[in-house]
Amino acid sequence: MDPVMIGELLAALMFFGVIGFLLLGFPVAFTLAGTSLLFGSLGLAFGVFDPSNFGSLPNRYIGFMTNEVLVAVPLFIFMGVMLERSQIAEQLLLTMGKLFGNMRGGLGFSVVLVGAMLAASTGVVGATVVTMGLISLPAMLRAGYDPKLATGVICASGTLGQIVPPSTVLIFMGDMLSGINSQVQMAKGNFAPTPVSVGDLFAGALLPGILLIVLYLLFVLFKAVTDPESCPATPVPAEEKKHLLREVFVALVPPLLLILAVLGSILGGIATPTEAASVGAVGAMILAAMRWRLSFGVLQQTVISTATITSMVFIILLGASVFSVVFRMMGGDNLVHEFLSNLPGGKLAAVAVVMVIMFFLGFILDTFEIIFIVIPITAPVLLALDVDPVWLGVMVGVNLQTSFLTPPFGFALFYLRGVAPAELPTSAIYKGILPFVMLQIVAIAILFAFPELVTWLPRLIAS
């Protein structure tokens, strides 16, 4: 058999082998690296893989560790964990619940808006879902909310941190697409390509993030109009209304100032994402100190959580690097290139196919796992077909937000199940997220049809 065909066959089997081992419950990072080494050995036996290719891995790992852009990841995680420890989310939820309590669906509106604010100030999905699950879910169930609506709106709002800047997913995506785009443009003879930055992706994700928030709010409004019993009003006692405006001011202003400081400095070109993340981390500690929540114990817990989350992400990245080397050296990238390039419908069809594949991978893989595996394989082909890298990155970000919601491995579902009352059936949580997954698909379709929603703001800022 032709060695090229053998290599491409092994590369394809390796991709499905990784998915199979993950379904058996093996850890992601070690599955990626272990499966790649196994198929690399098979490739060596068939003469289609040279183990000297692994010699590039140390330099690649050192590059990850010394990449100034990626330093923003642990800083943003620190900011999010510190804000969660300072209980700013609790204050926001309670205050916004009172503000919208007199309206049908008011608690649902408050959850969506608080989820959006937490996404823009923390971006930590697990902490957001757990916090809203502990505070809002009991209140919504006591008020007579449909359990499916209550759990769905909490899970969906909690995942907004994946697309609303500052998103750690967009940081990794921006760094990866920047390097891939430079290589693709140089291969096409363009030796001075327009750079792609994390700030571009943040700007591009702003309107899509608002689009998702609006879609969630419209769905809650739809339920309030068509099925008022599913989301009744929760009137606020007259005594509590007296100081409501002051409570709203105290709850909203500090996180809004932090959001403006972080995102405003990035979008305005005043600071790089890493510098802005440093400001955010310090700002989060200042907010915690203002609430008398900053102590050595809180700081210690925050640092440990930050180190744990960061290590988890980067160890997956290292495992994915082994996968990428074996897959590409055995000809897997040529296989992908031929497949996507020859699709009828051109680049839009190629993007659509990649989006569909990523959507279904979201049922069994986490967001970071998908981007570390799929982006290095597919992005070079798509960018070579003249797909806008900022549009592609934001489309992937919106698409992969669903990976937190789709069973059986939707982490937002697990987070909420862990804090939900025992009498609430798991089936209610699974059914509750279905309308919101559909809304995310609608958002993807809108961005697919109107790419200017992504590309307009980055171009405006650049000009």
Side-chain angles (χ1 to χ4, degrees):
M1 187 182 290
D2 182 10
V4 174
M5 186 177 295
I6 294 175
E8 292 179 350
L9 178 61
L10 287 175
L13 290 174
M14 181 175 70
F15 181 81
F16 292 106
V18 166
I19 295 175
F21 282 118
L22 289 173
L23 289 174
L24 293 175
F26 290 100
V28 175
F30 304 118
T31 297
L32 287 170
T35 306
S36 302
L37 291 174
L38 174 62
F39 277 86
S41 300
L42 290 174
L44 177 63
F46 284 102
V48 295
F49 181 74
D50 185 354
S52 64
N53 292 310
F54 288 131
S56 64
L57 288 176
N59 288 333
R60 183 177 294 196
Y61 292 165
I62 292 172
F64 292 147
M65 299 301 108
T66 57
N67 189 323
E68 183 180 344
V69 174
L70 298 184
V71 173
V73 173
L75 290 172
F76 277 129
I77 293 173
F78 178 92
M79 180 180 77
V81 176
M82 177 59 73
L83 288 174
E84 186 260 332
R85 300 288 179 184
S86 67
Q87 297 185 339
I88 194 169
E90 287 90 329
Q91 187 179 21
L92 274 171
L93 283 166
L94 294 172
T95 305
M96 298 297 281
K98 293 178 184 178
L99 185 64
F100 291 99
N102 291 326
M103 301 169 53
R104 286 201 302 267
L107 290 178
F109 293 135
S110 67
V111 166
V112 173
L113 293 174
V114 171
M117 289 196 63
L118 293 178
S121 56
T122 69
V124 182
V125 171
T128 304
V129 173
V130 168
T131 301
M132 294 197 296
L134 286 170
I135 297 171
S136 294
L137 183 58
M140 296 172 88
L141 295 178
R142 282 196 305 269
Y145 269 63
D146 183 342
K148 296 191 293 295
L149 176 61
T151 55
V153 76
I154 288 173
C155 286
S157 302
T159 62
L160 286 170
Q162 287 298 290
I163 188 62
V164 175
S167 162
T168 53
V169 171
L170 294 180
I171 294 173
F172 278 106
M173 201 103 65
D175 182 67
M176 295 167 73
L177 289 174
S178 175
I180 294 171
N181 186 58
S182 297
Q183 294 173 7
V184 169
Q185 295 302 319
M186 290 180 68
K188 296 172 72 173
N190 180 8
F191 296 101
T194 302
V196 179
S197 67
V198 173
D200 292 332
L201 261 68
F202 280 5
L206 206 55
L207 290 181
I210 294 173
L211 172 64
L212 275 172
I213 295 165
V214 170
L215 289 175
Y216 293 170
L217 290 172
L218 288 176
F219 178 73
V220 176
L221 178 62
F222 171 78
K223 294 292 288 185
V225 173
T226 61
D227 186 13
E229 292 184 359
S230 67
C231 48
T234 54
V236 180
E239 279 295 317
E240 296 185 16
K241 286 184 179 180
K242 293 180 180 179
H243 307 291
L244 185 56
L245 288 179
R246 178 181 174 276
E247 289 180 25
V248 170
F249 180 83
V250 171
L252 286 179
V253 170
L256 282 176
L257 289 176
L258 185 63
I259 293 168
L260 288 174
V262 174
L263 289 184
S265 60
I266 296 173
L267 300 180
I270 300 171
T272 66
T274 302
E275 293 166 345
S278 303
V279 172
V282 174
M285 288 192 288
I286 292 173
L287 290 185
M290 290 171 59
R291 294 177 56 83
W292 301 100
R293 294 284 179 182
L294 186 61
S295 64
F296 178 78
V298 168
L299 187 60
Q300 183 184 45
Q301 293 172 3
T302 302
V303 169
I304 292 173
S305 296
T306 301
T308 302
I309 297 171
T310 305
S311 300
M312 177 195 71
V313 173
F314 274 86
I315 196 68
I316 293 172
L317 179 57
L318 299 185
S321 298
V322 181
F323 175 90
S324 179
V325 166
V326 177
F327 186 86
R328 296 181 66 183
M329 291 301 106
M330 289 200 299
D333 53 346
N334 294 327
L335 184 66
V336 173
H337 186 276
E338 291 174 8
F339 172 70
L340 293 178
S341 300
N342 294 324
L343 283 173
K347 65 180 181 181
L348 292 181
V351 173
V353 168
V354 172
M355 290 296 110
V356 170
I357 292 172
M358 285 187 168
F359 176 78
F360 284 105
L361 284 177
F363 283 77
I364 55 175
L365 297 177
D366 178 64
T367 299
F368 288 107
E369 298 153 17
I370 296 173
I371 63 170
F372 292 156
I373 296 172
V374 179
I375 292 297
I377 295 173
T378 60
V381 184
L382 297 177
L383 297 186
L385 294 173
D386 294 325
V387 173
D388 188 291
V390 175
W391 179 68
L392 176 62
V394 174
M395 286 285 287
V396 170
V398 176
N399 190 349
L400 293 185
Q401 189 182 338
T402 59
S403 68
F404 276 89
L405 297 176
T406 47
F409 299 128
F411 285 98
L413 311 180
F414 295 156
Y415 295 141
L416 187 60
R417 176 67 277 177
V419 297
E423 60 271 16
L424 180 71
T426 303
S427 59
I429 300 176
Y430 278 33
K431 291 177 183 177
I433 56 92
L434 292 177
F436 293 93
V437 172
M438 294 303 298
L439 289 175
Q440 289 175 332
I441 294 174
V442 169
I444 294 171
I446 293 173
L447 298 178
F448 197 89
F450 303 100
E452 296 82 8
L453 288 173
V454 176
T455 58
W456 171 75
L457 187 57
R459 288 174 182 168
L460 179 66
I461 293 174
S463 62

